[in-house]
Amino acid sequence: MRFPRASGLLLHPTSLPGPNGSGDLGPAAYQFIDWLHSAGQTLWQMLPLGGIGPGNSPYMSSSAFAGNVLLIDLAELQQRGWLSAAALIQPPSATLQPRRIDFASMVPWRMQALAQAAAQFERSASPADRADFEAFCQGEADWLDDYALFMALCEASGWADWSDWPAGLARREPAALVAARGQHAAALNFWRFCQWCFFRQWAALRAHAHAKGVKIIGDTPIFIAHQSAEVWARQDLFELDACGRPTVVAGVPPDYFSANGQRWGNPLYRWPAHAAEGYAWWIQRIRRTLTLVDIVRIDHFRGFADYWEIPATEPTAINGRWLNGPGIALFQAIEAALGPVPLIAEDLGDLSPAVRRLLAATGFPGMAVLHFAFAGGAREPFLPHNHRQHSVVYTGTHDNDTSVGWWSKATEHERHHARAYLTTDGHDIAWTLMRAAAASVADTAVHPMQDVLALPGECRMNLPGGAAGWWVWRFEWSQLHAWHGHRLADMTRLYGRNPVDAAVG
C-alpha cells in the first residue's frame, strides 16, 4: 500500500505533559493533536499501546491485545463521578520531576486510583454506562476473558511467572480455570473495567485526531512477553517446554547497539503451529491493532524472514543461530483475511537477502534513519539521495539518541561527512537533519519530538539492551514555543508534505 506524501512526529503518550506522574489520554493528548494540526503535521507515531513489562518497556507487554491501563485519563473518571478530588492529589514525584516518569511511585498511585474508580462504578454506574460496559465485555470476550483472568492470577500470585503457578492453572486445566474465575470474580471485573475505560477514551481521542486530519501510526512488536496473557492462553503457539518455560528466546546477534547482541528474552513462535491454523492468531492481532491505529509499524520485520534463536540458558545473544521465519505466507494470509493492510516494516540492521526479498514481495515501505547515514560513503542507503520513494525516513527512532546527542558522540568522519553533505556547521543539527528528512523523496517523514525541541542525549527514550532507567522522558508545554510550530509548518509546506496550508496560531 502506497502512502501519500506526509510528515508527523514520534511521541509516546507517556511523554506528554500532565499532572498524574506520566502522560495519558487526557487533555494534553488532545492539545498535542491540535498542535500537530496547527504545525501542518498529519501523522502521530507512537510506541506500542499495551501494558508495560520488565524495565517498564512497552515492548514487553502483558498482552498483545489489551491497552495500557496506565494511560487512562483519571480526570475523566472523576468527571463521571467515579473518583473523588482527593484521589487525584498528584504524587510528589510528578511535581518534583515533571520531565521524567518515576514509575516506582506513579504505577501504584495510578492503580490505586483505578481500583477506587472501579469500586465506585460498581456502586453507582448509570444504566447506560453499565450497558456499554457489558457490550464491551461481550464484544471483546475472545481476548478479554483470558486477559482479565491472567492479570487477576498474576496479582494473586504476587506477580510470579505463570509457569510457576499451580500446575492446574499453568496448564489451563478446565476445572482449575472455572474455580479461579469464581474465586477472583471481583478482580476480573476490575481488569475488564480498566480495559473498557482505556478503549472508550482511546476511541474518543482517535476521533479527535481524525477530525484534525491526523492519522495514528501504531507499533506492533514482532514478539510478545512470556509473562503475557496470550502466551499463557496459547502455549501451543510458542516454543515452550512441558512446564511452560521458553526453550529458546528472541534477540539479535552483536550489532551497532551492543557487542554482546541483544537478548530480549521473548519466547519464539512455533511457526508450524501458526501455519496449521492459517495464521489465525496473527490475523486477529493485526485486526485488533487496526481498530486502534491507522497505520501499523511492525518492529523487527526481519524476523519474519529469518530470526535469531538463542538457547534460553544463554546469558547473552552471542551464541545463537539463524532460522527461517514464516515468510510471505503469513502476509498472504493476513491480506486474504483483512485486505491490503497499511504496514511499515522496520527493516533496520544487517539484512539478509531473504529479508530484502520478503520486503519486496510484501510491498511494505521500509525505513531510513539519518543517524546511520554518515558513517560510510556516497552509496550509503540512508543518505537522502539514495532514499526510495516508498519508504519512511526518520532522523532517529525511539532506540536512537536524540540528534543533538548523536552529534555530540559522532565520529569525526561522521561529522565531516554530515557537515559537507548538509552544508552545516552542526550548531542546529536537529533541525538540519529534520529538514533533510522533510526534503527526502521518501513518502513519509517522522521527526522525534526530542528533535523538534533540540534536546540533548539525556532525553533519549531508550537504549537497546539497557536494562533499566529508560522510557522515562517527558516534555513540558513551557519548552514548546510558537516558533517551533511555525518553523515546522513552513518546512512541511516547502517540501510538499501537507497539501493544505497549516494555519499556525
Side-chain angles (χ1 to χ4, degrees):
M1 179 178 291
R2 300 302 294 262
F3 298 152
R5 188 167 175 83
S7 67
L9 297 191
L10 169 60
L11 180 82
H12 198 49
T14 58
S15 296
L16 288 164
N20 296 323
S22 69
D24 55 30
L25 306 183
Y30 288 80
Q31 186 176 348
F32 184 69
I33 288 170
D34 293 344
W35 182 81
L36 284 173
H37 173 70
S38 73
Q41 304 308 293
T42 54
L43 299 169
W44 181 4
Q45 181 170 332
M46 303 174 178
L47 307 183
L49 290 166
I52 58 176
N56 303 311
S57 171
Y59 290 87
M60 293 291 280
S61 177
S62 54
S63 173
F65 296 91
N68 181 0
V69 302
L70 300 173
L71 290 175
I72 293 171
D73 174 22
L74 299 177
E76 192 262 355
L77 304 188
Q78 184 191 26
Q79 292 164 10
R80 286 176 169 263
W82 303 334
L83 277 178
S84 66
L88 291 187
I89 297 175
Q90 59 189 357
S93 62
T95 303
L96 297 175
Q97 298 187 83
R99 298 183 185 181
R100 289 178 65 84
I101 299 171
D102 179 1
F103 283 98
S105 64
M106 180 273 291
V107 173
W109 182 82
R110 278 185 173 264
M111 295 308 298
Q112 182 180 29
L114 290 172
Q116 293 178 28
Q120 186 61 34
F121 172 84
E122 185 65 26
R123 289 189 294 266
S124 64
S126 68
D129 282 338
R130 288 189 190 278
D132 190 60
F133 173 63
E134 291 300 328
F136 171 80
C137 292
Q138 292 175 16
E140 306 297 332
D142 57 346
W143 64 268
L144 182 60
D145 288 351
D146 279 326
Y147 165 79
L149 182 56
F150 176 79
M151 296 302 289
L153 292 172
C154 283
E155 192 171 21
S157 68
W159 304 98
D161 190 297
W162 67 260
S163 59
D164 293 328
W165 293 349
L169 293 175
R171 297 172 186 169
R172 294 179 56 84
E173 295 173 2
L177 297 182
V178 169
R181 290 190 182 100
Q183 180 182 355
H184 301 291
L188 266 63
N189 280 335
F190 166 73
W191 290 107
R192 291 188 182 110
F193 168 79
C194 291
Q195 288 303 307
W196 173 63
C197 290
F198 173 88
F199 282 102
R200 183 174 49 76
Q201 292 183 359
W202 177 261
L205 181 66
R206 188 184 182 202
H208 182 72
H210 288 176
K212 293 293 185 176
V214 174
K215 291 184 177 181
I216 307 295
I217 303 177
D219 197 324
T220 295
I222 180 175
F223 300 115
I224 64 175
H226 175 258
Q227 189 69 359
S228 65
E230 287 73 34
V231 174
W232 174 64
R234 291 300 311 270
Q235 298 172 38
D236 57 310
L237 296 180
F238 299 88
E239 295 289 357
L240 308 175
D241 64 20
C243 296
R245 297 183 179 88
T247 55
V248 289
V249 297
V252 291
D255 61 7
Y256 170 88
F257 291 108
S258 174
N260 290 326
Q262 298 174 46
R263 186 190 184 280
W264 299 329
N266 310 72
L268 292 171
Y269 296 106
R270 191 171 286 149
W271 284 117
H274 284 266
E277 64 174 34
Y279 300 103
W281 185 89
W282 266 97
I283 292 169
Q284 182 188 16
R285 188 182 184 193
I286 297 299
R287 179 186 285 116
R288 155 54 60 190
T289 304
L290 287 172
T291 66
L292 294 175
V293 304
D294 303 294
I295 301 168
V296 182
R297 173 191 179 272
I298 294 189
D299 191 55
H300 196 61
F301 179 83
R302 74 154 301 154
F304 296 111
D306 43 44
Y307 57 93
W308 189 244
E309 179 192 84
I310 308 164
T313 54
E314 288 289 330
T316 73
I318 294 175
N319 296 318
R321 61 173 180 167
W322 290 109
L323 292 177
N324 293 331
I328 193 62
L330 168 63
F331 298 101
Q332 289 173 335
I334 291 172
E335 184 167 355
L338 306 179
V341 177
L343 295 182
I344 295 170
E346 186 274 288
D347 59 341
L348 305 176
D350 186 14
L351 304 183
S352 68
V355 183
R356 300 183 190 281
R357 289 194 297 269
L358 178 60
L359 187 62
T362 62
F364 301 147
M367 292 171 48
V369 176
L370 295 185
H371 290 186
F372 300 148
F374 302 101
R379 295 184 179 181
E380 168 55 56
F382 291 155
L383 286 170
H385 70 269
N386 292 323
H387 289 176
R388 302 182 304 277
Q389 183 176 356
H390 189 46
S391 65
V392 185
V393 58
Y394 300 78
T395 53
T397 73
H398 66 279
D399 280 335
N400 292 94
D401 207 337
T402 68
S403 287
V404 172
W406 167 77
W407 182 255
S408 71
K409 302 178 185 70
T411 66
E412 184 50 39
H413 170 81
E414 288 175 305
R415 289 189 186 190
H416 177 76
H417 191 184
R419 283 192 291 259
Y421 191 94
L422 301 170
T423 317
T424 182
D425 62 5
H427 80 280
D428 192 20
I429 191 62
W431 279 85
T432 300
L433 287 173
M434 286 168 57
R435 178 177 288 271
S440 166
V441 70
D443 289 332
T444 305
V446 178
H447 315 297
M449 187 64 178
Q450 292 96 319
D451 284 357
V452 174
L453 300 174
L455 296 176
E458 290 78 9
C459 299
R460 72 182 292 169
M461 194 64 168
N462 182 46
L463 178 66
W470 305 103
W471 317 107
V472 300
W473 174 74
R474 303 177 70 192
F475 80 95
E476 294 183 276
W477 292 122
S478 61
Q479 296 175 275
L480 194 59
H481 303 289
W483 70 263
H484 287 107
H486 284 290
R487 190 175 181 185
L488 194 57
D490 288 345
M491 188 171 70
T492 303
R493 282 195 297 267
L494 181 63
Y495 295 114
R497 291 196 176 275
N498 187 351
V500 179
D501 283 350
V504 183

